[in-house]
Amino acid sequence: MTRTMPLHLLLVAVLGAGITWLVETALAAGGRAILIPPFTLAVAVVLIAAIIVTMALPVRRVSRGVASARIDPFYATRVVMLAKASSLSGALVGGGGLGIAAFLLSRSVLPAVGSVTMALATGIAGILLVVAGLVAEHWCFIPPEDDDKPGGRPSAREAL
């Protein structure tokens, strides 16, 4: 699995911002109520970010040699996949929140401060989820072993 590229995260964030901007514009043009993310969404996203970093901590301890215990490779793989998915979804949620905030601030009549605050909180929470996902992904990186030494064990790929 390759590491998450910053360009992909930026593209997903721009896509999220653009889609939410278009949805908000279509709703406002149709005379309907625009979407304002609830504050609990930002709280939930931050809690998910904390859980992901907490899940990656045992893998980091083992891979850095701090803990002498072994870790289940399937657990480490699941954490890496969750971290990658979290960074991508965090970019989408963060871009969406910032897109809503930009839409609200671009209107000639400014909305209530609470709605802008909730949109900004969602955007910031999405950015925190991206950071947590990238940190967890980095923590789960295991340096390659030196199998090129004479008498060294063959790697799993070479054994197949």
Side-chain angles (χ1 to χ4, degrees):
M1 179 180 278
T2 60
R3 291 191 181 204
T4 305
M5 298 183 65
L7 179 63
H8 293 160
L9 295 174
L10 183 65
L11 289 175
V12 169
V14 168
L15 182 70
I19 287 174
T20 55
W21 182 285
L22 290 175
V23 167
E24 296 287 338
T25 303
L27 288 172
R32 298 184 180 209
I34 59 173
L35 300 174
I36 303 295
F39 187 71
T40 54
L41 175 64
V43 172
V45 170
V46 169
L47 287 176
I48 291 170
I51 289 169
I52 290 168
V53 170
T54 304
M55 288 177 67
L57 195 58
V59 179
R60 180 177 191 257
R61 287 181 181 152
V62 170
S63 68
R64 300 295 185 263
V66 175
S68 61
R70 295 189 49 94
I71 191 130
D72 182 20
F74 293 113
Y75 175 79
T77 304
R78 288 182 195 117
V79 171
V80 168
M81 290 189 316
L82 181 64
K84 189 169 186 123
S86 301
S87 60
L88 290 170
S89 61
L92 188 64
V93 168
L98 295 178
I100 291 172
F103 173 80
L104 292 174
L105 293 173
S106 69
R107 303 294 98 194
S108 58
V109 177
L110 291 178
V113 175
S115 58
V116 175
T117 304
M118 289 188 286
L120 286 174
T122 302
I124 292 170
I127 293 169
L128 287 176
L129 185 59
V130 169
V131 170
L134 291 176
V135 165
E137 186 177 342
H138 178 71
W139 282 0
C140 292
F141 176 75
I142 298 173
E145 297 178 10
D146 287 336
D147 290 334
D148 296 335
K149 294 180 183 177
R153 291 182 13 208
S155 67
R157 287 188 184 146
E158 293 171 354
L160 295 175

